[in-house]
């Protein structure tokens, strides 16, 4: 009972956090801001997946979280490299 | 019962830190200050959630569930690297900052 | 030893990661993990020309524990700054003179700086002598540099000597 309530509260907090990230993603004003917002959105999605795993009492969300963690980092690194060098694979 | 409270506590702490990091992302005045919110608070937020998940599944299935540690370790290793890359990109692009830029920019690496 | 186990630490890490990934700590998975730990460094050792010199593993453990504590205090501090009034922020760029020379040690120091109180490492100069740090709330530059030097750089110098 306590757990169910706090899961719902945590879901609400994470949704709010992701909406704030989305606002920064749309608003900018600079490209690094947008990349940072996207990176944070990735990390918050991982948190949401972990939360979902506990809520649905299932272990299958873990692999998705792990893959997302890697994709998020690689995406951020690639975007930054592009901004710095104008190219990703040289 | 005790486990339930413990899991709830870690979940709420985690979600709280994630939310604070995101608030920082919206609220702080320029890019370099905004960089601090997500890299620290959000990473710790995830840490809290993963601890909650570890406790929950260890108790639920009756055997040790530690694979959440992998995600946590990975994030704690990559968060500083992506923050560093982002700061470097922002310095390179001369993003608007509320504080003056450091001098001697010729000495900076272009990579 | 060096031919079959070019990177003993990496072998151990790989075995551990396999166990965590499988989330099953039985004997079978342990053997499989150790097999991967032996084979993967063996076939990829050409890509890892440099061996990080880890001199004091015990000291590293203590360093990581104190780092974990600092990360939590760092977060409370950042949380206070984020939620507090905006004009209380005193952000600044700081040039930090490095004493470390080993590349891997510098990487660890830069990551540490990024994870701890109100600071993010932003850039490393070409000659690898100065680290550019952005800090969220600076009242005393010298105090901050001193803190980084005694708290993080000195132990790292011991560990990766």
């Amino acid at each position: 009972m306590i757990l169910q309530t706090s899961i719902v509260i945590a879901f609400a907090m994470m949704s709010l956090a992701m909406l704030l990230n989305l606002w920064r993603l749309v608003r900018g004003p600079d490209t690094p801001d947008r990349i940072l917002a996207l990176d944070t959105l990735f990390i918050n999605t991982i948190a949401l997946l972990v939360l979902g795993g506990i809520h649905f009492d299932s272990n299958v969300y873990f692999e998705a979280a792990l893959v997302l963690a890697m994709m998020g980092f690689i995406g951020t690194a690639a975007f930054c490299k592009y901004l710095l060098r104008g190219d990703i694979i040289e | 019962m005790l486990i339930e409270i413990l899991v709830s506590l870690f979940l709420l702490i985690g979600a709280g830190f994630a939310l604070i990091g995101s608030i920082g992302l919206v609220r702080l005045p320029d890019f370099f200050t905004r960089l601090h919110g997500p890299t620290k608070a959000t990473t710790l937020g995830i840490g809290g959630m993963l601890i909650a998940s570890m406790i929950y599944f260890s108790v639920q299935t009756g055997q040790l569930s530690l694979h959440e540690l992998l995600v946590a370790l990975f994030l704690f290793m990559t968060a500083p690297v992506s923050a560093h890359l982002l700061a470097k990109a922002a310095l390179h692009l001369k993003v608007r900052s509320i504080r003056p830029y450091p001098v001697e920019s010729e000495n900076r690496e272009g990579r | 030893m060096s031919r079959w186990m070019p990177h003993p630490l990496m072998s151990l890490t790989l075995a551990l990661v396999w166990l965590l990934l499988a989330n099953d700590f039985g004997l079978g998975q342990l053997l499989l993990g150790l097999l991967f730990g032996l084979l993967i460094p063996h076939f990829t050792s050409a890509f890892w020309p440099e061996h990080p010199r880890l001199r004091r593993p015990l000291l590293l453990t203590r360093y990581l524990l104190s780092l974990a504590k600092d990360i939590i205090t760092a977060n409370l501090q950042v949380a206070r700054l984020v939620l507090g009034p905006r004009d209380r922020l005193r952000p600044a760029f700081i040039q930090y003179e490095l004493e470390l020379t080993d590349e891997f040690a510098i990487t660890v120091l830069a990551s540490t700086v990024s994870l701890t109180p109100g600071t993010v490492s932003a850039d490393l100069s070409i000659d690898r002598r100065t680290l550019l740090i952005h800090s969220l709330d600076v009242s005393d530059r010298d105090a901050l540099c001193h803190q980084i030097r005694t708290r993080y750089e000195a132990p790292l110098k011991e560990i990766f000597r």
Side-chain angles (χ1 to χ4, degrees), chain C residues 80-81 84-91 136-137:
Chain C
R80 220 184 48 229
L81 287 171
R86 265 168 56 149
D87 49 334
R88 248 192 42 207
L89 292 177
R90 285 163 296 177
L136 200 52
D137 188 38

Side-chain angles (χ1 to χ4, degrees), chain B residues 28-88:
Chain B
L28 294 172
D30 73 342
F31 173 76
F32 293 99
T33 50
R34 283 199 279 267
L35 194 55
H36 289 269
T39 49
K40 297 194 189 66
T42 310
T43 315
L44 192 75
I46 289 271
M49 291 238 170
L50 290 167
I51 291 173
S53 164
M54 250 155 71
I55 298 171
Y56 180 78
F57 282 111
S58 293
V59 171
Q60 197 74 4
T61 57
Q63 55 175 331
L64 214 53
S65 168
L66 290 180
H67 60 182
E68 286 86 353
L69 266 183
L70 269 185
V71 179
L73 276 179
F74 187 78
L75 281 176
F76 272 99
M77 279 194 292
T78 57
V81 178
S82 37
H84 185 90
L85 277 169
L86 276 166
K88 232 172 162 171

Side-chain angles (χ1 to χ4, degrees), chain B residues 17 20 24 27-28 32-33 36 40-41 44 65-67 70 80 84 87-88 91 98-100 102 104 107-109, chain C residues 20-21 23 75 82-84 86 89 91 93 95 111 114 116 118-126 132 134 136:
Chain B
F17 272 115
I20 286 171
R27 207 167 159 245
L28 294 172
F32 293 99
T33 50
H36 289 269
K40 297 194 189 66
L44 192 75
S65 168
L66 290 180
H67 60 182
L70 269 185
H84 185 90
K88 232 172 162 171
L91 282 173
I98 57 170
R99 279 293 175 276
E104 54 113 22
N107 198 15
R108 304 263 148 242
E109 244 172 322
Chain C
L20 286 175
L21 204 56
N23 211 17
N75 276 286
V82 164
L83 297 177
R86 265 168 56 149
L89 292 177
F93 287 101
Q95 307 272 5
S111 301
S114 290
T116 47
T119 47
V120 167
S121 67
D123 208 350
L124 182 66
S125 66
I126 282 177
L132 183 69
H134 183 269
L136 200 52

Side-chain angles (χ1 to χ4, degrees), chain A residues 75-87:
Chain A
T76 308
F79 274 132
C80 290
K81 186 113 200 267
Y82 180 72
L83 286 185
L84 283 166
R85 302 293 286 259
D87 209 343

Side-chain angles (χ1 to χ4, degrees), chain C:
Chain C
M1 174 74 179
S2 68
R3 198 164 146 234
W4 284 102
M5 284 240 293
H7 295 263
L9 251 178
M10 187 153 107
S11 305
L12 205 66
T13 314
L14 281 172
L16 202 67
V17 167
W18 176 259
L19 282 181
L20 286 175
L21 204 56
N23 211 17
D24 171 5
F25 303 93
L27 183 66
Q29 297 289 356
L30 181 66
L31 286 176
L32 194 56
L34 285 175
L35 183 71
F36 284 136
L38 273 177
L39 289 182
I40 293 174
H42 186 70
F43 287 116
T44 57
S45 60
F47 300 110
W48 308 95
E50 279 179 41
H51 298 235
R53 300 199 179 283
L54 193 62
R55 295 274 189 232
R56 312 275 297 270
L58 263 177
L59 214 62
L60 183 67
T61 321
R62 222 180 66 193
Y63 179 78
L64 288 178
L65 282 179
S66 80
L67 181 61
K69 208 184 78 205
D70 285 356
I71 289 174
I72 294 171
T73 51
N75 276 286
L76 293 175
Q77 199 184 341
V78 168
R80 220 184 48 229
L81 287 171
V82 164
L83 297 177
R86 265 168 56 149
D87 49 334
R88 248 192 42 207
L89 292 177
R90 285 163 296 177
F93 287 101
I94 294 170
Q95 307 272 5
Y96 179 77
E97 301 286 328
L98 283 168
E99 282 175 11
L100 291 168
T101 46
D102 184 53
E103 269 184 36
F104 186 69
I106 294 177
T107 312
V108 175
L109 181 70
S111 301
T112 306
V113 163
S114 290
L115 282 172
T116 47
T119 47
V120 167
S121 67
D123 208 350
L124 182 66
S125 66
I126 282 177
D127 55 7
R128 304 189 190 289
R129 299 290 270 291
T130 48
L131 189 66
L132 183 69
I133 295 173
H134 183 269
S135 178
L136 200 52
D137 188 38
V138 188
S139 47
D140 185 356
R141 280 161 188 266
D142 294 330
L144 187 68
C145 284
H146 181 73
Q147 195 199 352
I148 293 171
R149 198 169 307 281
T150 51
R151 215 177 155 74
Y152 307 118
E153 195 171 12
L156 281 176
K157 245 159 79 184
E158 282 284 307
I159 295 166
F160 297 102
R161 204 170 24 179

